């Protein structure tokens, strides 16, 4: 039964992310909720007003406040054993001070019943500074809890403090993998406030198997094997290893195409293409850039294999969507991926930094058509059973309703 008045939910999200867009719509399309979005990206979502944090524009107005703010920052850094901070990091801190003022104005105008934070990346972690009486919900990814904090000592120190403060202040926390749930529990959150909900899940009506030939025609692909690489470039995704392995595969499978999509790291494409260019294998590689979520089924259906040898991960939505569309999987052998992939049963797992093992797994999968069909059927059933978007979205909305009834 709906409440007499909708729940006023303020959603905080970073940059542009299809995950944030879909998560906002989980609530905005339910009449039990009124949603206001705060972000540093100008989202356009039906019936959702957006406060865009202007950020650097506030620096010009900051001159009168800088000395006092500088002393406060220096004291905080000193307490954490950090003697110096770069100009870039300091400017970022000042920018965030003004973003926080904008957030406060949005709070006063919208008067939310609760805040929902899309991870604890900027600007979401600014909510940790808000009054405790506003219930806060946090969706943690593995990156918030495990590996993102390893970039350098300053970020590690601040990230851990942000996560600890966030967990202590949260009315409830959602995670999308058992690995992340275990990590969150180690921060001391009460079990009843920690929920494994894989929302928004997979839209099983949008992501369906079949139609490989028509999908390839739409994308201008031939009849040769297609390996889809939908995770972006660089960093923990081990693109250097993937390129080395792909070149080895191209020598054994002369008709293979490695199809990269995603806008993340696009500026690094020429750098990574130096490896296949030097070997005369450039024709086996294609980069389509960022692809709209609505068009993604064609890419999954066109692929024989989806590959991602990442060293760190949570629950890649693209992996689940590929499973729903019938693509086979070759993935990095890490705990969160083992929650979904059993080596040799519904995919293949390889050490993330082993190019030889990755190449061998790709060739074995491409040459095993009966195995691909068996894996496709298993993967579709697994996704239907565990991550149907209708079920997962209902779970997260119910969690918010029930939690607000208790607080």
């Amino acid at each position: 039964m709906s409440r007499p008045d909708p729940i006023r939910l303020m959603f905080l999200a970073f940059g542009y992310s299809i995950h944030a867009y879909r998560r906002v719509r989980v609530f905005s399309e339910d009449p039990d909720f009124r949603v206001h979005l705060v972000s540093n990206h100008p989202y356009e979502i039906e019936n959702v007003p957006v406060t865009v944090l202007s950020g650097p524009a506030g620096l010009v107005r900051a001159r009168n406040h800088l000395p006092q703010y500088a002393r406060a920052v220096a004291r905080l850094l000193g307490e954490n054993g950090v003697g110096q901070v770069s100009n870039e990091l300091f400017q970022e801190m000042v920018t965030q001070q003004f973003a926080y003022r904008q957030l406060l104005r949005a709070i006063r105008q919208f008067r939310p019943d609760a805040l929902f934070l899309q991870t604890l990346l900027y600007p979401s972690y600014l909510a940790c500074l808000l009054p405790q009486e506003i219930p806060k919900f946090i969706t943690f990814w593995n990156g918030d809890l495990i590996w993102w904090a390893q970039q350098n000592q300053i970020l590690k120190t601040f990230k851990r403090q942000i996560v600890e403060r966030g967990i202590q202040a949260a009315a409830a926390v959602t995670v999308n993998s058992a690995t992340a749930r275990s990590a969150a529990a180690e921060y001391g959150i009460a079990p009843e406030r920690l929920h494994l909900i894989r929302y928004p899940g997979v839209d099983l009506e949008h992501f369906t198997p079949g139609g490989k030939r028509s999908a390839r025609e739409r994308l201008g692909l031939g009849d040769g094997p297609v390996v889809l690489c939908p995770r972006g470039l660089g960093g923990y995704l081990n693109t250097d290893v993937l390129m080395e392995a792909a070149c080895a595969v191209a020598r054994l499978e002369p008709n293979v195409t490695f199809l990269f999509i995603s806008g993340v790291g696009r500026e690094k494409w020429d750098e990574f293409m130096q490896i296949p260019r030097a070997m005369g294998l450039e024709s086996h590689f294609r980069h389509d850039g960022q692809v709209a979520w609505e068009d993604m089924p064609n890419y999954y259906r066109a692929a024989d294999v989806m590959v991602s040898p990442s060293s760190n991960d949570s629950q890649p939505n693209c992996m689940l969507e590929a499973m729903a569309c019938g693509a086979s999987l070759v993935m990095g052998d890490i705990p969160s991926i083992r929650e979904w992939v059993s080596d040799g049963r519904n995919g293949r797992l390889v050490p993330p930094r082993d190019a030889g093992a990755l190449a061998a797994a790709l060739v074995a999968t491409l040459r095993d058509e009966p195995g691909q069909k068996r894996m496709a059927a298993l993967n579709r059933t697994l996704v239907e059973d565990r991550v149907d978007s209708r079920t997962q979205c209902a779970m997260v909305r119910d969690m918010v309703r029930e939690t607000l009834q208790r607080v």
Side-chain angles (χ1 to χ4, degrees), residues 227 229-234 239-240 242-243 246-247 257-277 281-289:
V227 179
C229 316
R231 302 295 310 282
L233 302 173
T239 308
D240 57 336
L242 177 53
M243 284 297 198
C247 288
T257 296
F258 282 84
L259 179 55
F260 288 76
I261 57 176
S262 174
V264 178
R266 179 65 190 266
E267 70 281 357
K268 300 179 181 179
W269 179 244
D270 286 341
E271 174 188 340
F272 285 114
M273 278 300 293
Q274 292 177 12
I275 300 172
R277 282 197 192 106
L281 299 170
E282 183 177 2
S283 62
H284 294 279
F285 294 80
R286 171 174 150 181
H287 197 304
D288 281 12

Side-chain angles (χ1 to χ4, degrees), residues 18-83:
I18 185 62
H19 305 304
Y21 178 84
R22 293 183 65 207
R23 284 183 168 97
V24 169
R25 292 184 62 185
V26 166
F27 295 99
S28 68
E29 294 177 355
D30 187 313
D32 278 359
F33 294 88
R34 256 185 83 191
V35 179
H36 185 107
L37 175 60
V38 176
S39 178
N40 53 342
H41 176 81
Y43 284 89
E44 294 183 5
I45 304 175
E46 187 176 3
N47 297 322
V48 178
V50 180
T51 294
V52 181
L53 302 178
S54 58
L59 287 174
V60 176
R61 303 189 300 273
R63 294 173 183 168
N64 295 334
H65 306 278
L66 281 176
Q68 181 179 356
Y69 186 62
R71 288 191 293 271
V73 170
R75 184 168 58 252
L76 175 63
L77 292 171
E79 291 171 355
N80 287 280
V82 179

Side-chain angles (χ1 to χ4, degrees), residues 364-381:
T365 304
L366 292 173
R367 292 180 176 179
D368 182 10
E369 286 193 29
Q372 288 182 39
K373 292 178 181 178
R374 183 187 71 251
M375 291 176 183
L378 287 170
N379 283 335
R380 178 69 188 188
T381 300

Side-chain angles (χ1 to χ4, degrees), residues 30-180:
D30 187 313
D32 278 359
F33 294 88
R34 256 185 83 191
V35 179
H36 185 107
L37 175 60
V38 176
S39 178
N40 53 342
H41 176 81
Y43 284 89
E44 294 183 5
I45 304 175
E46 187 176 3
N47 297 322
V48 178
V50 180
T51 294
V52 181
L53 302 178
S54 58
L59 287 174
V60 176
R61 303 189 300 273
R63 294 173 183 168
N64 295 334
H65 306 278
L66 281 176
Q68 181 179 356
Y69 186 62
R71 288 191 293 271
V73 170
R75 184 168 58 252
L76 175 63
L77 292 171
E79 291 171 355
N80 287 280
V82 179
Q84 294 182 335
V85 62
S86 68
N87 290 333
E88 292 78 11
L89 181 57
F90 181 74
Q91 286 194 348
E92 183 178 343
M93 290 176 173
V94 176
T95 297
Q96 293 178 17
Q97 181 187 34
F98 281 88
Y100 180 66
R101 291 183 181 180
Q102 289 178 281
L103 174 60
L104 286 175
R105 284 197 295 270
I107 292 283
R108 287 193 293 268
Q109 292 169 4
F110 183 61
R111 294 177 288 108
D113 297 309
L115 299 165
F116 210 110
L117 316 185
Q118 159 84 355
T119 84
L120 275 184
L121 296 175
Y122 174 81
S124 296
Y125 61 69
L126 296 177
C128 296
L129 305 174
L130 291 169
Q132 292 292 329
E133 60 264 22
I134 306 176
K136 300 174 184 66
F137 298 85
I138 304 173
T139 288
F140 274 129
W141 295 351
N142 282 21
D144 288 311
L145 297 165
I146 302 170
W147 53 271
W148 209 300
Q150 308 306 312
Q151 291 172 335
N152 61 53
Q153 190 58 44
I154 293 177
L155 291 178
K156 183 177 179 179
T157 298
F158 280 104
K159 188 66 174 182
R160 186 169 186 88
Q161 287 191 356
I162 289 167
V163 170
E164 286 177 344
R165 179 174 291 191
I167 281 182
Q168 291 166 5
V173 166
T174 77
V175 292
N176 62 6
S177 72
T179 303

